[in-house]
Amino acid sequence: MNIIKQYLWIPLIVLGIGFITLGILRAEYEKVYSNAAFICLSCIGIEEAY
Amino acid sequence: MNRYRRFTQICTLILSNCYILSGLKYCPFPIMNCHACPLAATACGIGALQHFLTIGAFPFLVLGIFLLIGSTIGRLLCGWACPFGFFQELLYKIPMNKLTFPQWTGMFKYLIFLVLVVLLPMVVQEPWFCKLCPVGALEAGIPLWIKDEGIRQMIGPLFHVKFLILYGLIYLMMITERPFCRMICPAGAIFSLFKKISLFRVNGVPDKCIPCNKCTRRCPAGVTPISNDCVMCMNCVGTCKNVWAGMNPPQRHRDTGKSEK
C-alpha cells in the first residue's frame, strides 16, 4: 500500500498531462481567455451579470 | 528560507498583476488572484473551473493543470506563490491579540469547494464562489468601484455581502494565521488532497512527534507539517529533526516503517 502511495504521483502526472493535451486540442484556452479577459461582474459582486 | 519565500511571493504578485503579460490569461493559474482585477495577467483557476461547470463542459485543461501541479509539488504554490496568502501573512504581523482556531475548521474548505465551486455552478449555472469571493472584492471590486462610474451605479446587495465577507476575513487575518487558506480556499482544498502522494512533500513523523509546537510557531498557517493545511513554506524544516522536505522520507524515518500516517 505504501509503495502505491509513494508512486501514485506518476499516473497522476500522466493523467494531468493527458488532460492538458486534451484541453489544448479542444481549444479550451480560448474559453478560459474569453471568461478572464473581460470584466467579470460576478467577481466584482454585481448580480445583474446573469 | 523565509527570505527566498518572500522574494518569490513578491515576484508572483508582480508577475500575476503585470498587465503587459495579459496574454497569460489563456492559462488558468491555480493561485488566488482574481482575473477581474484591472491589472491581472493570469486567469484564476477556480474562476475558470466554475466557468466550465456553468456551461456544462468538462474542464480538461483546468483539471489537468491542477492534477499536474498537485501531483508534483502539492501545496507549494500556496506557501510560495499565492498573492492572497502573502496578503494574509502581512496582515497577521499587525500586533493584536492572536487566536488559534481548532484543526477541524480546516474541513470547511472542502465543503465550500463542493457546494460553491462544483454543485451550485452545475445546478444553477452561476459561479457562486466568484460571487462571494473576498479575493475578487479586494482585487477587482475596490479598484473598479473607484475607477468606473458605471460599475458604481450597478452595485446591489451582493456587493455589500461580498464586502462584509472581506471585512470579516480581514479581521480574522489579523488575529489568526492564514484563515482563508485553512478554512475557505478551494484551490487549497484541491491541492491538500495531494498532501501524502505528491512527488515533492513536506511532512513529519507522527509517531516521533512530541507536541513541543516548535514547528507550529514557525508556520505561517499555524499548523504542523503533518496537517493537510500545511502550505509547504518549509519554515519548520530546520526546527525539528522529525520534519522533512523532499521526494521521499529520509532513510532514518523509512527504517521505522512509520514515516507517515
Side-chain angles (χ1 to χ4, degrees):
Chain A
M1 195 61 183
N2 259 349
I3 288 285
I4 295 173
K5 221 189 291 180
Q6 200 173 338
Y7 294 104
L8 196 57
W9 56 270
I10 298 173
L12 289 176
I13 286 178
V14 173
L15 189 68
I17 292 170
F19 273 15
I20 291 171
T21 313
L22 257 175
I24 292 170
L25 291 176
R26 286 159 50 105
E28 284 184 2
Y29 51 87
E30 285 178 358
K31 285 180 192 155
V32 171
Y33 184 80
S34 66
N35 179 49
F38 305 103
I39 292 176
C40 167
L41 294 180
S42 291
C43 296
I44 304 163
I46 292 170
E47 211 156 8
E48 285 79 2
Y50 290 88
Chain B
M1 190 65 85
N2 213 28
R3 243 182 326 161
Y4 295 122
R5 201 166 67 84
R6 284 279 176 269
F7 178 72
T8 57
Q9 283 176 320
I10 292 168
C11 285
T12 319
L13 175 69
I14 294 168
L15 287 175
S16 58
N17 290 293
C18 182
Y19 184 70
I20 48 169
L21 297 174
S22 58
L24 290 176
K25 278 189 176 174
Y26 282 104
C27 178
F29 217 62
I31 53 171
M32 296 312 284
N33 188 61
C34 184
H35 53 217
C37 171
L39 291 174
T42 55
C44 168
I46 296 298
L49 178 62
Q50 286 174 91
H51 175 65
F52 279 96
L53 295 176
T54 54
I55 61 173
F58 190 83
F60 283 107
L61 184 62
V62 184
L63 276 188
I65 287 172
F66 272 106
L67 264 174
L68 185 65
I69 292 177
S71 51
T72 47
I73 54 173
R75 247 187 123 163
L76 196 79
L77 286 184
C78 301
W80 286 72
C82 181
F84 202 61
F86 179 46
F87 177 67
Q88 291 174 84
E89 285 179 25
L90 293 182
L91 280 186
Y92 187 68
K93 287 185 187 294
I94 295 172
M96 278 179 83
N97 286 337
K98 305 296 180 188
L99 203 72
T100 305
F101 281 84
Q103 294 280 320
W104 59 263
T105 51
M107 299 303 283
F108 283 129
K109 64 178 175 294
Y110 301 108
L111 187 71
I112 287 170
F113 172 72
L114 259 181
V115 176
L116 294 181
V117 179
V118 179
L119 291 178
L120 276 178
M122 281 170 79
V123 176
V124 296
Q125 275 91 47
E126 287 184 17
W128 265 97
F129 184 79
C130 286
K131 279 175 178 275
L132 301 173
C133 179
V135 185
L138 181 72
E139 295 182 0
I142 293 173
L144 290 170
W145 174 71
I146 294 169
K147 191 184 117 189
D148 200 313
E149 175 62 37
I151 296 281
R152 277 201 292 274
Q153 284 171 356
M154 289 162 80
I155 284 171
L158 186 70
F159 186 85
H160 301 295
V161 171
K162 201 171 161 96
F163 271 80
L164 269 179
I165 295 171
L166 177 67
Y167 297 145
L169 203 63
I170 285 177
Y171 176 69
L172 281 181
M173 285 173 198
M174 292 190 282
I175 62 165
T176 189
E177 300 106 328
R178 283 191 172 226
F180 182 82
C181 306
R182 281 168 51 196
M183 295 184 265
I184 299 170
C185 183
I190 299 174
F191 286 139
S192 66
L193 300 175
F194 297 91
K195 165 76 184 168
K196 292 185 176 95
I197 53 174
S198 60
L199 171 62
F200 180 79
R201 277 169 285 164
V202 176
N203 214 329
V205 187
D207 302 320
K208 289 183 181 173
C209 175
I210 48 163
C212 63
N213 289 329
K214 272 184 194 166
C215 53
T216 49
R217 278 199 293 271
R218 297 285 309 268
C219 176
V223 295
T224 68
I226 299 162
S227 163
N228 273 4
D229 298 327
C230 165
V231 292
M232 297 174 76
C233 67
M234 293 191 272
N235 283 354
C236 59
V237 172
T239 61
C240 172
K241 63 180 182 349
N242 294 329
V243 178
W244 57 270
M247 285 157 64
N248 281 310
Q251 193 63 45
R252 64 175 189 280
H253 296 327
R254 264 183 284 170
D255 289 343
T256 65
K258 293 174 180 173
S259 57
E260 288 174 80
K261 254 180 188 167

